[in-house]
Amino acid sequence: MTSAPSPPTRDSTARPTGDAPEQQQTQKWTARLRRFGYTAQPVQDVGQRLSPPYAEPGPRLWSLLKVAPEARPRMSRALGWGGPLLVTLVAGLLRFWKLGEPKAVIFDETYYAKDAWALLKRGYEVNWPKDYNKTVIDLGSNVPVGHDPSYVVHPPMGKWVIAAGEWMFGLNPFGWRFMVALLGTLSVLMVCRIARRMFRSTFLGCLAGLLLAVDGLHLVMSRTALLDLPLMFFVLAAFGALVIDRDKARAKLAAALPMDDEGVVRPDAGIAETLRLGWRPWRIAAGVFLGLAFATKWNGGVFLVAFGLMTVLWDVGARRTAGARRPYVATLKRDVLPAFVSTVPVLFATYLATWTGWLLHTDKGDRGYLREWGAEHPSSGFGGIFPDWWRSLWHYSNQVWDFHVNLTSHHDYESNPWSWLVLGRPVSYYYESPAPGSPGCPADVREKCASEVLALGTPLLWWAACFAVLYLLWRWFFRRDWRAGAIAGAFLAGFLPWLRYQERTIFLFYAVVFVPYLCMGLSMMIGSIIGPRGSTERRRVVGVVGAGVLVLLIVWNFIYFWPIYTGHPIPVDSWRARMWFDTWV
């Protein structure tokens, strides 16, 4: 079995050239850090450092499965897709099981399900009558849609995602939840493949996807028509595109380096500093996905900064490993401008494209909120150089920004971001108390039943992930492991900005955007618990048992909380047993 991550490709602080010795004198600060586990041993073959091979299952596993030696490479490649697809199938079954229940408009579906239908029918959001949710459930797709434009505080992309499901299945709970559930399922597949690529291990990739599949918060958000799950999906897709781009760029750099008589790829300063890496379509794809994230919720824009810095540092590390004497200068000359052009303009073009419905409707009585503000308020100053539609959108955006930064109204389920990782205050999306004998509630129940949809992460997974975050930071700082740095960076980009808004009304379900990175980090930590290749048999047995117990406990914990993730009625005593803390009620 492939268990632990393959050895990281360290971007060593040494700057080797074709004629430089393989080992250089260790700096004093490096020597001090060794007591904490820092290592910086050089690796002979630069080609393998730039593009390490995937780990293969051990011969004992192949023998146990009775796979012939000649069939093992083919089987290993098949597992690279077969394993993730199997995990994705499990995730899909969990997310689509009775997706139309509860048959109600739950929590903020009251905004986004109806806004999505208005976008589908009018091209812009409209005002709906007050207390209209029951009418929407009763009339479904026959519900009348007005023309009065509505002031909304999020860009349209996430609502277009919801509208796609409504277009296919109508205005009903299954319809408005379908596309969100599909993106939630596909995100499990992406995590499997991204983690597999990063760790060079099919086992750890599938483990990361499995952890995401059994996370309660991700499950609930995948079964609810809110914007945060589409935001998570687009950010994850951008992250995955940049990881693929990193692999392809480093493989191209490795292929250009010279090889000695023994077949070992050697560093070369000239090639490392001057080679142009050419067309990089995955960076453009990342720009599109980041644009879609920004067009779903504005906090998606934070990831542009984080991922942009991350990919530049990756290029620096690649050129340093290849032998560049001045890797930062080489990256600045060869990579920074193409990276900017392929992401930032693409992001803003994608963002504007999602506003097409609002932009095209200009007729009086059939146009979006503030669409003609620019024409009604002409500017004679510097603003006059911009077209009216641009000034209208800019003015609208300013109003939305003021709303977001000044949102301080009290909500029963608001929470401080410091409490998110320990699940201090989850959000109840739906709650009913069926009487004994009513549908779903057994007649012999002593009191009554409880039917709740609670946006709560799987507790044991999240609490273990707290240790995984510390492990990632240690691994990146002391081992210079780029994988730990990338996962930690993506997590921090989704978490840290919220710490600025201590007075703002915010909720734990915003954290779904960084759940995939918690799962990848936990998978990486579990790989280390199992033990690296070359460990003694006793070490591996102890590691496998410990890691297996942890994973089984997480799966059990998910099954235990399943009823309150899906709104399944259970006796109220059973519901109380699952409310482990007063703040969960």
Side-chain angles (χ1 to χ4, degrees), residues 464-520:
C466 292
F467 294 96
V469 170
L470 297 177
Y471 169 77
L472 290 173
L473 296 176
W474 170 83
R475 181 105 189 171
W476 174 76
F477 189 76
F478 292 111
R479 293 295 182 89
R480 313 309 298 168
D481 191 329
W482 72 272
R483 303 165 302 179
I487 298 170
F491 159 72
L492 293 174
F495 175 64
L496 289 183
W498 294 110
L499 298 180
R500 288 190 57 198
Y501 303 103
Q502 295 293 309
E503 303 300 325
R504 188 187 185 278
T505 307
I506 53 181
F507 304 92
L508 183 144
F509 65 80
Y510 295 172
V512 73
V513 73
F514 58 72
V515 170
Y517 313 104
L518 293 181
C519 294
M520 284 190 273

Short mmCIF file of all heavy atoms in Angstrom, two decimals, residues 464-520:
data_model
loop_
_atom_site.label_atom_id
_atom_site.label_comp_id
_atom_site.label_asym_id
_atom_site.label_seq_id
_atom_site.Cartn_x
_atom_site.Cartn_y
_atom_site.Cartn_z
N ALA A 464 -9.40 17.30 14.54
CA ALA A 464 -8.13 16.75 14.07
C ALA A 464 -7.45 17.69 13.09
O ALA A 464 -6.22 17.81 13.06
CB ALA A 464 -8.37 15.38 13.42
N ALA A 465 -8.27 18.41 12.30
CA ALA A 465 -7.70 19.35 11.33
C ALA A 465 -7.00 20.52 12.02
O ALA A 465 -6.11 21.13 11.43
CB ALA A 465 -8.80 19.87 10.40
N CYS A 466 -7.40 20.85 13.24
CA CYS A 466 -6.68 21.90 13.98
C CYS A 466 -5.22 21.50 14.16
O CYS A 466 -4.31 22.34 13.99
CB CYS A 466 -7.33 22.12 15.34
SG CYS A 466 -8.99 22.85 15.28
N PHE A 467 -4.97 20.25 14.48
CA PHE A 467 -3.59 19.76 14.59
C PHE A 467 -2.92 19.70 13.22
O PHE A 467 -1.72 19.95 13.09
CB PHE A 467 -3.57 18.38 15.26
CG PHE A 467 -4.02 18.39 16.69
CD1 PHE A 467 -5.32 18.07 17.02
CD2 PHE A 467 -3.14 18.74 17.71
CE1 PHE A 467 -5.74 18.09 18.34
CE2 PHE A 467 -3.54 18.75 19.03
CZ PHE A 467 -4.85 18.42 19.35
N ALA A 468 -3.72 19.39 12.20
CA ALA A 468 -3.16 19.34 10.84
C ALA A 468 -2.68 20.71 10.40
O ALA A 468 -1.66 20.82 9.70
CB ALA A 468 -4.20 18.79 9.87
N VAL A 469 -3.38 21.77 10.78
CA VAL A 469 -2.94 23.13 10.42
C VAL A 469 -1.58 23.42 11.05
O VAL A 469 -0.67 23.96 10.39
CB VAL A 469 -3.98 24.17 10.86
CG1 VAL A 469 -3.43 25.59 10.73
CG2 VAL A 469 -5.26 24.03 10.03
N LEU A 470 -1.43 23.07 12.32
CA LEU A 470 -0.13 23.26 12.97
C LEU A 470 0.95 22.41 12.30
O LEU A 470 2.09 22.87 12.11
CB LEU A 470 -0.23 22.89 14.45
CG LEU A 470 -1.19 23.74 15.29
CD1 LEU A 470 -1.26 23.21 16.72
CD2 LEU A 470 -0.78 25.20 15.28
N TYR A 471 0.59 21.20 11.91
CA TYR A 471 1.53 20.32 11.21
C TYR A 471 1.96 20.94 9.88
O TYR A 471 3.15 20.90 9.52
CB TYR A 471 0.89 18.96 10.99
CG TYR A 471 1.67 18.06 10.05
CD1 TYR A 471 2.82 17.41 10.46
CD2 TYR A 471 1.25 17.88 8.73
CE1 TYR A 471 3.54 16.59 9.60
CE2 TYR A 471 1.96 17.07 7.86
CZ TYR A 471 3.10 16.43 8.29
OH TYR A 471 3.81 15.64 7.43
N LEU A 472 1.01 21.51 9.14
CA LEU A 472 1.33 22.14 7.86
C LEU A 472 2.31 23.29 8.04
O LEU A 472 3.28 23.43 7.28
CB LEU A 472 0.05 22.64 7.19
CG LEU A 472 -0.92 21.59 6.65
CD1 LEU A 472 -2.20 22.26 6.18
CD2 LEU A 472 -0.29 20.79 5.50
N LEU A 473 2.04 24.13 9.03
CA LEU A 473 2.92 25.27 9.27
C LEU A 473 4.32 24.81 9.67
O LEU A 473 5.33 25.36 9.21
CB LEU A 473 2.32 26.18 10.35
CG LEU A 473 0.98 26.84 9.97
CD1 LEU A 473 0.44 27.62 11.17
CD2 LEU A 473 1.14 27.77 8.77
N TRP A 474 4.39 23.79 10.52
CA TRP A 474 5.70 23.25 10.89
C TRP A 474 6.40 22.66 9.68
O TRP A 474 7.58 22.89 9.46
CB TRP A 474 5.52 22.18 11.98
CG TRP A 474 6.78 21.41 12.24
CD1 TRP A 474 7.82 21.77 13.04
CD2 TRP A 474 7.13 20.14 11.68
NE1 TRP A 474 8.80 20.81 13.01
CE2 TRP A 474 8.42 19.80 12.19
CE3 TRP A 474 6.51 19.26 10.80
CZ2 TRP A 474 9.06 18.62 11.84
CZ3 TRP A 474 7.14 18.08 10.46
CH2 TRP A 474 8.41 17.78 10.97
N ARG A 475 5.67 21.90 8.91
CA ARG A 475 6.27 21.21 7.76
C ARG A 475 6.78 22.21 6.72
O ARG A 475 7.83 21.99 6.11
CB ARG A 475 5.23 20.29 7.14
CG ARG A 475 5.72 19.49 5.95
CD ARG A 475 5.96 18.07 6.31
NE ARG A 475 6.64 17.35 5.24
CZ ARG A 475 7.11 16.13 5.36
NH1 ARG A 475 6.99 15.50 6.51
NH2 ARG A 475 7.72 15.54 4.37
N TRP A 476 6.03 23.28 6.55
CA TRP A 476 6.46 24.27 5.56
C TRP A 476 7.66 25.06 6.08
O TRP A 476 8.64 25.28 5.36
CB TRP A 476 5.32 25.23 5.22
CG TRP A 476 5.78 26.33 4.32
CD1 TRP A 476 6.03 26.25 2.98
CD2 TRP A 476 6.10 27.67 4.70
NE1 TRP A 476 6.47 27.46 2.48
CE2 TRP A 476 6.52 28.35 3.52
CE3 TRP A 476 6.05 28.38 5.90
CZ2 TRP A 476 6.90 29.69 3.54
CZ3 TRP A 476 6.43 29.71 5.91
CH2 TRP A 476 6.84 30.34 4.74
N PHE A 477 7.61 25.48 7.33
CA PHE A 477 8.67 26.36 7.84
C PHE A 477 9.97 25.62 8.07
O PHE A 477 11.05 26.13 7.73
CB PHE A 477 8.20 27.02 9.15
CG PHE A 477 9.14 28.09 9.62
CD1 PHE A 477 9.15 29.34 9.01
CD2 PHE A 477 10.01 27.86 10.66
CE1 PHE A 477 10.02 30.33 9.44
CE2 PHE A 477 10.89 28.85 11.10
CZ PHE A 477 10.88 30.09 10.48
N PHE A 478 9.89 24.42 8.62
CA PHE A 478 11.12 23.71 8.98
C PHE A 478 11.57 22.70 7.93
O PHE A 478 12.75 22.36 7.89
CB PHE A 478 10.94 23.01 10.32
CG PHE A 478 10.82 23.95 11.48
CD1 PHE A 478 9.63 24.10 12.16
CD2 PHE A 478 11.91 24.71 11.88
CE1 PHE A 478 9.51 24.98 13.22
CE2 PHE A 478 11.80 25.59 12.94
CZ PHE A 478 10.60 25.73 13.61
N ARG A 479 10.65 22.20 7.11
CA ARG A 479 11.03 21.24 6.09
C ARG A 479 11.00 21.85 4.68
O ARG A 479 11.37 21.18 3.72
CB ARG A 479 10.11 20.02 6.14
CG ARG A 479 10.26 19.18 7.41
CD ARG A 479 11.62 18.54 7.50
NE ARG A 479 11.77 17.70 8.68
CZ ARG A 479 11.46 16.41 8.73
NH1 ARG A 479 10.97 15.80 7.67
NH2 ARG A 479 11.65 15.72 9.84
N ARG A 480 10.51 23.07 4.58
CA ARG A 480 10.40 23.75 3.28
C ARG A 480 9.61 22.90 2.29
O ARG A 480 9.96 22.81 1.11
CB ARG A 480 11.78 24.09 2.72
CG ARG A 480 12.74 24.74 3.71
CD ARG A 480 12.15 25.93 4.42
NE ARG A 480 11.80 27.01 3.50
CZ ARG A 480 11.05 28.07 3.84
NH1 ARG A 480 10.56 28.15 5.07
NH2 ARG A 480 10.78 29.00 2.98
N ASP A 481 8.56 22.27 2.75
CA ASP A 481 7.73 21.42 1.91
C ASP A 481 6.70 22.29 1.21
O ASP A 481 5.80 22.85 1.85
CB ASP A 481 7.05 20.36 2.79
CG ASP A 481 6.38 19.27 1.98
OD1 ASP A 481 5.92 19.56 0.86
OD2 ASP A 481 6.32 18.13 2.46
N TRP A 482 6.82 22.40 -0.11
CA TRP A 482 5.95 23.30 -0.86
C TRP A 482 4.48 22.89 -0.75
O TRP A 482 3.58 23.75 -0.78
CB TRP A 482 6.34 23.33 -2.33
CG TRP A 482 5.98 22.09 -3.09
CD1 TRP A 482 6.72 20.96 -3.24
CD2 TRP A 482 4.76 21.86 -3.80
NE1 TRP A 482 6.04 20.03 -3.99
CE2 TRP A 482 4.82 20.55 -4.37
CE3 TRP A 482 3.61 22.62 -4.02
CZ2 TRP A 482 3.79 20.01 -5.13
CZ3 TRP A 482 2.58 22.07 -4.79
CH2 TRP A 482 2.69 20.79 -5.34
N ARG A 483 4.22 21.59 -0.59
CA ARG A 483 2.84 21.13 -0.49
C ARG A 483 2.17 21.67 0.76
O ARG A 483 1.03 22.14 0.73
CB ARG A 483 2.82 19.60 -0.50
CG ARG A 483 3.46 18.98 -1.71
CD ARG A 483 3.73 17.51 -1.53
NE ARG A 483 4.59 17.25 -0.37
CZ ARG A 483 4.95 16.03 0.01
NH1 ARG A 483 4.54 14.98 -0.66
NH2 ARG A 483 5.74 15.88 1.06
N ALA A 484 2.89 21.62 1.87
CA ALA A 484 2.35 22.16 3.12
C ALA A 484 2.14 23.66 2.99
O ALA A 484 1.12 24.19 3.46
CB ALA A 484 3.30 21.84 4.27
N GLY A 485 3.08 24.36 2.36
CA GLY A 485 2.93 25.80 2.18
C GLY A 485 1.74 26.14 1.32
O GLY A 485 1.00 27.10 1.61
N ALA A 486 1.51 25.39 0.24
CA ALA A 486 0.39 25.68 -0.65
C ALA A 486 -0.94 25.44 0.04
O ALA A 486 -1.87 26.28 -0.05
CB ALA A 486 0.50 24.80 -1.90
N ILE A 487 -1.07 24.32 0.74
CA ILE A 487 -2.32 24.02 1.43
C ILE A 487 -2.58 25.01 2.55
O ILE A 487 -3.70 25.53 2.71
CB ILE A 487 -2.30 22.57 1.96
CG1 ILE A 487 -2.17 21.58 0.80
CG2 ILE A 487 -3.55 22.28 2.78
CD1 ILE A 487 -1.89 20.16 1.24
N ALA A 488 -1.54 25.30 3.34
CA ALA A 488 -1.69 26.28 4.42
C ALA A 488 -2.02 27.65 3.88
O ALA A 488 -2.85 28.38 4.44
CB ALA A 488 -0.42 26.32 5.27
N GLY A 489 -1.39 28.04 2.76
CA GLY A 489 -1.66 29.34 2.18
C GLY A 489 -3.09 29.48 1.72
O GLY A 489 -3.74 30.52 1.92
N ALA A 490 -3.63 28.43 1.07
CA ALA A 490 -5.02 28.47 0.63
C ALA A 490 -5.98 28.53 1.82
O ALA A 490 -6.98 29.27 1.79
CB ALA A 490 -5.32 27.25 -0.24
N PHE A 491 -5.68 27.77 2.85
CA PHE A 491 -6.50 27.81 4.07
C PHE A 491 -6.49 29.21 4.68
O PHE A 491 -7.55 29.77 5.02
CB PHE A 491 -6.01 26.78 5.07
CG PHE A 491 -6.42 27.07 6.49
CD1 PHE A 491 -7.72 26.91 6.90
CD2 PHE A 491 -5.48 27.53 7.41
CE1 PHE A 491 -8.10 27.20 8.20
CE2 PHE A 491 -5.85 27.82 8.71
CZ PHE A 491 -7.17 27.66 9.11
N LEU A 492 -5.31 29.79 4.84
CA LEU A 492 -5.21 31.10 5.48
C LEU A 492 -5.88 32.18 4.63
O LEU A 492 -6.44 33.14 5.18
CB LEU A 492 -3.73 31.45 5.71
CG LEU A 492 -3.01 30.57 6.74
CD1 LEU A 492 -1.53 30.91 6.78
CD2 LEU A 492 -3.64 30.73 8.13
N ALA A 493 -5.84 32.05 3.30
CA ALA A 493 -6.52 33.03 2.44
C ALA A 493 -8.02 33.00 2.65
O ALA A 493 -8.70 34.03 2.51
CB ALA A 493 -6.18 32.76 0.97
N GLY A 494 -8.56 31.83 2.97
CA GLY A 494 -9.99 31.73 3.23
C GLY A 494 -10.38 32.09 4.65
O GLY A 494 -11.55 32.42 4.90
N PHE A 495 -9.42 32.06 5.56
CA PHE A 495 -9.74 32.25 6.98
C PHE A 495 -9.32 33.62 7.53
O PHE A 495 -10.13 34.33 8.15
CB PHE A 495 -9.07 31.14 7.80
CG PHE A 495 -9.22 31.29 9.28
CD1 PHE A 495 -10.47 31.23 9.88
CD2 PHE A 495 -8.11 31.49 10.10
CE1 PHE A 495 -10.61 31.37 11.26
CE2 PHE A 495 -8.24 31.63 11.46
CZ PHE A 495 -9.49 31.57 12.05
N LEU A 496 -8.08 34.01 7.29
CA LEU A 496 -7.55 35.21 7.93
C LEU A 496 -8.32 36.50 7.64
O LEU A 496 -8.49 37.33 8.54
CB LEU A 496 -6.07 35.40 7.55
CG LEU A 496 -5.07 34.41 8.16
CD1 LEU A 496 -3.66 34.77 7.74
CD2 LEU A 496 -5.19 34.40 9.69
N PRO A 497 -8.79 36.75 6.39
CA PRO A 497 -9.48 38.03 6.15
C PRO A 497 -10.68 38.27 7.05
O PRO A 497 -10.98 39.42 7.38
CB PRO A 497 -9.91 37.91 4.68
CG PRO A 497 -8.91 36.99 4.07
CD PRO A 497 -8.61 35.99 5.14
N TRP A 498 -11.35 37.20 7.49
CA TRP A 498 -12.52 37.40 8.34
C TRP A 498 -12.15 37.89 9.73
O TRP A 498 -13.01 38.43 10.44
CB TRP A 498 -13.31 36.09 8.44
CG TRP A 498 -13.92 35.68 7.14
CD1 TRP A 498 -13.57 34.63 6.36
CD2 TRP A 498 -15.01 36.34 6.47
NE1 TRP A 498 -14.35 34.57 5.23
CE2 TRP A 498 -15.24 35.61 5.28
CE3 TRP A 498 -15.79 37.46 6.75
CZ2 TRP A 498 -16.24 35.98 4.37
CZ3 TRP A 498 -16.77 37.83 5.84
CH2 TRP A 498 -17.00 37.09 4.67
N LEU A 499 -10.90 37.71 10.14
CA LEU A 499 -10.51 38.16 11.47
C LEU A 499 -10.52 39.68 11.59
O LEU A 499 -10.54 40.22 12.70
CB LEU A 499 -9.11 37.62 11.80
CG LEU A 499 -8.98 36.09 11.86
CD1 LEU A 499 -7.54 35.70 12.19
CD2 LEU A 499 -9.95 35.49 12.88
N ARG A 500 -10.49 40.36 10.46
CA ARG A 500 -10.56 41.83 10.48
C ARG A 500 -11.92 42.34 10.92
O ARG A 500 -12.04 43.46 11.42
CB ARG A 500 -10.26 42.40 9.10
CG ARG A 500 -8.83 42.33 8.64
CD ARG A 500 -8.66 43.15 7.37
NE ARG A 500 -9.08 44.53 7.59
CZ ARG A 500 -9.38 45.39 6.60
NH1 ARG A 500 -9.33 44.98 5.35
NH2 ARG A 500 -9.73 46.63 6.86
N TYR A 501 -12.95 41.52 10.70
CA TYR A 501 -14.32 42.00 10.89
C TYR A 501 -14.92 41.39 12.15
O TYR A 501 -15.84 40.57 12.10
CB TYR A 501 -15.16 41.66 9.66
CG TYR A 501 -14.58 42.23 8.39
CD1 TYR A 501 -13.89 41.43 7.48
CD2 TYR A 501 -14.71 43.59 8.10
CE1 TYR A 501 -13.35 41.96 6.33
CE2 TYR A 501 -14.16 44.12 6.95
CZ TYR A 501 -13.49 43.31 6.07
OH TYR A 501 -12.94 43.84 4.92
N GLN A 502 -14.37 41.81 13.29
CA GLN A 502 -14.84 41.28 14.55
C GLN A 502 -16.25 41.73 14.89
O GLN A 502 -16.96 41.05 15.64
CB GLN A 502 -13.88 41.68 15.67
CG GLN A 502 -12.48 41.08 15.54
CD GLN A 502 -12.48 39.58 15.71
OE1 GLN A 502 -13.02 39.06 16.68
NE2 GLN A 502 -11.87 38.87 14.76
N GLU A 503 -16.67 42.87 14.35
CA GLU A 503 -17.99 43.39 14.67
C GLU A 503 -19.02 43.06 13.59
O GLU A 503 -20.21 43.29 13.77
CB GLU A 503 -17.93 44.92 14.85
CG GLU A 503 -16.96 45.38 15.93
CD GLU A 503 -17.31 44.81 17.29
OE1 GLU A 503 -18.50 44.66 17.57
OE2 GLU A 503 -16.39 44.50 18.06
N ARG A 504 -18.58 42.54 12.47
CA ARG A 504 -19.49 42.26 11.36
C ARG A 504 -20.29 40.98 11.64
O ARG A 504 -19.82 40.08 12.33
CB ARG A 504 -18.72 42.10 10.06
CG ARG A 504 -19.58 41.99 8.81
CD ARG A 504 -18.75 41.67 7.59
NE ARG A 504 -19.53 41.68 6.37
CZ ARG A 504 -20.29 40.68 5.94
NH1 ARG A 504 -20.34 39.57 6.66
NH2 ARG A 504 -20.96 40.76 4.82
N THR A 505 -21.50 40.92 11.09
CA THR A 505 -22.32 39.73 11.23
C THR A 505 -21.83 38.67 10.25
O THR A 505 -22.02 38.79 9.03
CB THR A 505 -23.80 40.06 10.94
OG1 THR A 505 -24.20 41.17 11.74
CG2 THR A 505 -24.68 38.87 11.24
N ILE A 506 -21.19 37.63 10.76
CA ILE A 506 -20.66 36.57 9.91
C ILE A 506 -21.00 35.22 10.52
O ILE A 506 -21.35 35.12 11.69
CB ILE A 506 -19.13 36.70 9.71
CG1 ILE A 506 -18.40 36.81 11.05
CG2 ILE A 506 -18.80 37.88 8.84
CD1 ILE A 506 -16.90 36.96 10.91
N PHE A 507 -20.88 34.16 9.69
CA PHE A 507 -21.39 32.85 10.07
C PHE A 507 -20.35 31.78 9.79
O PHE A 507 -19.52 31.90 8.90
CB PHE A 507 -22.67 32.54 9.29
CG PHE A 507 -23.75 33.57 9.45
CD1 PHE A 507 -23.85 34.63 8.56
CD2 PHE A 507 -24.65 33.48 10.50
CE1 PHE A 507 -24.83 35.59 8.71
CE2 PHE A 507 -25.65 34.44 10.65
CZ PHE A 507 -25.74 35.49 9.75
N LEU A 508 -20.48 30.67 10.52
CA LEU A 508 -19.54 29.57 10.39
C LEU A 508 -19.56 28.96 8.99
O LEU A 508 -18.54 28.46 8.51
CB LEU A 508 -19.84 28.51 11.44
CG LEU A 508 -18.90 27.30 11.50
CD1 LEU A 508 -18.72 26.86 12.94
CD2 LEU A 508 -19.39 26.13 10.67
N PHE A 509 -20.73 28.98 8.30
CA PHE A 509 -20.78 28.31 7.01
C PHE A 509 -19.91 29.01 5.96
O PHE A 509 -19.65 28.43 4.90
CB PHE A 509 -22.23 28.16 6.52
CG PHE A 509 -22.95 29.44 6.22
CD1 PHE A 509 -22.74 30.12 5.03
CD2 PHE A 509 -23.88 29.95 7.11
CE1 PHE A 509 -23.44 31.28 4.73
CE2 PHE A 509 -24.57 31.12 6.84
CZ PHE A 509 -24.34 31.79 5.65
N TYR A 510 -19.43 30.23 6.23
CA TYR A 510 -18.45 30.85 5.32
C TYR A 510 -17.18 30.00 5.23
O TYR A 510 -16.44 30.09 4.26
CB TYR A 510 -18.07 32.25 5.81
CG TYR A 510 -19.17 33.28 5.81
CD1 TYR A 510 -18.96 34.52 6.39
CD2 TYR A 510 -20.41 33.03 5.26
CE1 TYR A 510 -19.96 35.50 6.40
CE2 TYR A 510 -21.42 33.99 5.28
CZ TYR A 510 -21.19 35.22 5.85
OH TYR A 510 -22.18 36.17 5.87
N ALA A 511 -16.94 29.20 6.27
CA ALA A 511 -15.71 28.41 6.34
C ALA A 511 -15.68 27.28 5.32
O ALA A 511 -14.63 26.65 5.14
CB ALA A 511 -15.54 27.83 7.75
N VAL A 512 -16.80 27.00 4.64
CA VAL A 512 -16.80 25.90 3.67
C VAL A 512 -15.78 26.14 2.56
O VAL A 512 -15.29 25.19 1.94
CB VAL A 512 -18.21 25.70 3.08
CG1 VAL A 512 -18.57 26.80 2.10
CG2 VAL A 512 -18.33 24.33 2.42
N VAL A 513 -15.41 27.40 2.33
CA VAL A 513 -14.47 27.70 1.26
C VAL A 513 -13.08 27.12 1.53
O VAL A 513 -12.34 26.80 0.59
CB VAL A 513 -14.38 29.23 1.02
CG1 VAL A 513 -13.62 29.92 2.15
CG2 VAL A 513 -13.73 29.55 -0.32
N PHE A 514 -12.72 26.92 2.80
CA PHE A 514 -11.39 26.35 3.07
C PHE A 514 -11.45 24.92 3.60
O PHE A 514 -10.42 24.34 3.96
CB PHE A 514 -10.57 27.23 4.02
CG PHE A 514 -11.16 27.53 5.37
CD1 PHE A 514 -11.23 26.55 6.34
CD2 PHE A 514 -11.61 28.81 5.68
CE1 PHE A 514 -11.75 26.83 7.60
CE2 PHE A 514 -12.12 29.11 6.94
CZ PHE A 514 -12.19 28.10 7.90
N VAL A 515 -12.63 24.29 3.61
CA VAL A 515 -12.72 22.89 4.05
C VAL A 515 -11.86 21.96 3.20
O VAL A 515 -11.21 21.05 3.75
CB VAL A 515 -14.19 22.43 4.08
CG1 VAL A 515 -14.29 20.92 4.29
CG2 VAL A 515 -14.95 23.13 5.19
N PRO A 516 -11.82 22.10 1.86
CA PRO A 516 -10.97 21.18 1.08
C PRO A 516 -9.51 21.17 1.53
O PRO A 516 -8.85 20.12 1.51
CB PRO A 516 -11.11 21.69 -0.36
CG PRO A 516 -12.43 22.38 -0.38
CD PRO A 516 -12.57 23.02 0.97
N TYR A 517 -9.00 22.32 1.96
CA TYR A 517 -7.59 22.40 2.35
C TYR A 517 -7.37 21.81 3.73
O TYR A 517 -6.30 21.26 4.01
CB TYR A 517 -7.12 23.86 2.25
CG TYR A 517 -7.58 24.47 0.95
CD1 TYR A 517 -8.65 25.35 0.91
CD2 TYR A 517 -6.99 24.10 -0.25
CE1 TYR A 517 -9.11 25.86 -0.29
CE2 TYR A 517 -7.43 24.61 -1.46
CZ TYR A 517 -8.51 25.49 -1.47
OH TYR A 517 -8.97 25.98 -2.67
N LEU A 518 -8.38 21.89 4.59
CA LEU A 518 -8.30 21.18 5.86
C LEU A 518 -8.22 19.68 5.62
O LEU A 518 -7.44 18.96 6.28
CB LEU A 518 -9.51 21.50 6.74
CG LEU A 518 -9.66 22.93 7.27
CD1 LEU A 518 -10.92 23.04 8.12
CD2 LEU A 518 -8.44 23.36 8.06
N CYS A 519 -9.02 19.19 4.67
CA CYS A 519 -9.02 17.75 4.38
C CYS A 519 -7.70 17.32 3.75
O CYS A 519 -7.16 16.25 4.09
CB CYS A 519 -10.19 17.40 3.47
SG CYS A 519 -11.81 17.64 4.24
N MET A 520 -7.14 18.13 2.85
CA MET A 520 -5.85 17.79 2.26
C MET A 520 -4.75 17.82 3.32
O MET A 520 -3.86 16.97 3.34
CB MET A 520 -5.53 18.74 1.10
CG MET A 520 -6.31 18.43 -0.16
SD MET A 520 -5.74 19.36 -1.61
CE MET A 520 -6.71 20.86 -1.44
#
